[in-house]
Amino acid sequence: MTFATVRSVSIAAAVALTAFSAQALTIPTNSLQADSFQVFSDAALDSYALFGVGITPLGNATAVAGTTNTFSLPVTSISIALSGGIKIENGKATGSALEIARIDPKTGQKRGLTIANFTIDFAKNQVLADTTVIGGATQAQAPVYNFVKTQELALKYKFPLSISLKEQLGDLRLVDVNGTADALGISRALANVVIPEIDFGVINIDIGVAFRTKAISTKPYVPAL
């Protein structure tokens, strides 16, 4: 029996146990080719550039080669509701993080925040993340974006582990405008005029049954103090 087969059997067993214990099925996907890609819009990048704000991938997150606006956030698990038909409840990208920060020209200090350990909540149409202002405390699973589904879900699932899923989430709108402005050291008045008008881009989700050569860590990302 190969290592890949052992790993497949282990995942299938975990899935089966979950199915017996709840009305929702949580599938670990960190060993699969399961990715989400946040593609920042030109409007978002232009607004960031205006204030010298940069985006840095941390943890499991990586910048997609050949792009300046796309970041890969590996999907570590998905939850499927079993009652009322198969539907996705949420997906998680645990261990991935994006630091959104700038150097304050007045003080020379870094200002900004880190958003990490993402959850896509399909019931509320929100992207959640552990949000940490640089030098501050972490707010667990705070709403980051509201979204709409811009490409219909294409889900195929066969028990115990045969799943493919493709979807696009768009019209990303920042939820906490004032908190983001304060973290970056930008005027709230200016932020409240500009930011609500910005569509921050799309999130593309692509999950398949092929195995990764190395499983993605599921350890939550914690910003360095």
Side-chain angles (χ1 to χ4, degrees):
M1 182 178 288
T2 66
F3 174 73
T5 302
V6 171
R7 185 167 56 183
S8 176
V9 170
S10 297
I11 293 173
V15 169
L17 287 173
T18 305
F20 280 112
S21 63
Q23 291 301 307
L25 174 63
T26 298
I27 301 175
T29 57
N30 61 305
S31 294
L32 303 178
Q33 292 288 352
D35 294 287
S36 61
F37 299 92
Q38 181 161 358
V39 184
F40 285 90
S41 65
D42 289 342
L45 295 182
D46 288 346
S47 67
Y48 281 164
L50 183 64
F51 296 102
V53 176
I55 306 167
T56 304
L58 301 168
N60 294 338
T62 56
V64 174
T67 74
T68 58
N69 67 339
T70 304
F71 298 89
S72 174
L73 313 170
V75 179
T76 52
S77 69
I78 60 173
S79 292
I80 300 175
L82 300 179
S83 59
I86 293 176
K87 61 182 178 180
I88 302 295
E89 288 188 336
N90 65 64
K92 295 182 181 294
T94 303
S96 290
L98 296 175
E99 181 188 77
I100 300 170
R102 64 190 284 263
I103 301 300
D104 190 324
K106 295 180 180 179
T107 65
Q109 295 181 329
K110 182 187 283 190
R111 301 285 301 271
L113 67 163
T114 300
I115 50 177
N117 308 316
F118 301 89
T119 298
I120 296 176
D121 186 332
F122 290 96
K124 295 182 179 179
N125 281 15
Q126 286 188 325
V127 178
L128 314 176
D130 295 342
T131 302
T132 308
V133 175
I134 292 175
T138 297
Q139 185 177 359
Q141 294 299 286
V144 178
Y145 300 111
N146 292 321
F147 65 79
V148 298
K149 297 175 183 177
T150 52
Q151 177 179 310
E152 281 300 315
L153 173 70
L155 169 66
K156 296 180 180 179
Y157 172 70
K158 183 178 180 181
F159 188 84
L161 187 63
S162 177
I163 186 167
S164 64
L165 182 155
K166 292 182 184 293
E167 189 166 26
Q168 184 179 80
L169 314 176
D171 195 22
L172 301 180
R173 301 288 173 167
L174 196 66
V175 174
D176 188 1
V177 175
N178 286 338
T180 300
D182 292 347
L184 290 168
I186 297 171
S187 161
R188 281 191 176 190
L190 180 58
N192 277 279
V193 170
V194 175
I195 293 179
E197 300 301 317
I198 297 174
D199 174 354
F200 275 79
V202 301
I203 296 175
N204 295 314
I205 302 169
D206 189 354
I207 296 173
V209 295
F211 283 106
R212 297 183 186 274
T213 54
K214 181 180 180 181
I216 298 294
S217 170
T218 57
K219 182 179 179 180
Y221 181 85
V222 178
L225 297 178

